[in-house]
Amino acid sequence: MLATKTLAEVLADYGEARNAITDSTRKDMAGALGRYLPDWLKKPVNALTPDMILARHKRIGKATPASANKWGWYLRALHSWPLPKAATPTPRAALA
């Protein structure tokens, strides 16, 4: 079930399923999430709450606003990608 997949697993699935993105984009996504969200990669995607996302974005954004926005876009893309809406809270609203 997708709701129990970790962020790293969803990232890998997304990269494999999305033929339209380039290898450099896949690497950039993995790099940004690995650099700014390493402790979240092993968390189930349904464990990521809007409050967690906003707090991390605010903390990283103080030093590097563009980087905070970049991983925010990538995280939002993963959450917008076909996830069962009833099984997974949608933190993308927090990043919109």
Side-chain angles (χ1 to χ4, degrees):
M1 174 176 236
L2 191 55
T4 61
K5 285 193 172 193
T6 65
L7 181 58
E9 290 169 329
V10 173
L11 176 62
D13 290 349
Y14 182 86
E16 290 173 15
R18 295 293 309 246
N19 294 329
I21 63 173
T22 65
D23 286 340
S24 64
T25 300
R26 285 182 185 88
K27 289 178 185 175
D28 194 50
M29 288 179 83
L33 297 178
R35 173 176 287 139
Y36 296 106
L37 309 175
D39 53 322
W40 290 6
L41 291 174
K42 294 184 179 180
K43 289 184 180 287
V45 292
N46 65 347
L48 303 178
T49 67
D51 288 340
M52 290 170 60
I53 293 167
L54 286 173
R56 182 70 57 102
H57 188 273
K58 184 176 181 180
R59 184 176 57 124
I60 293 168
K62 286 181 182 179
T64 57
S67 295
N69 288 336
K70 181 183 260 190
W71 70 254
W73 294 326
Y74 291 153
L75 188 62
R76 186 169 52 197
L78 295 176
H79 269 277
S80 297
W81 189 57
L83 296 174
K85 301 299 182 205
T88 306
T90 175
R92 71 183 185 157
L95 296 173

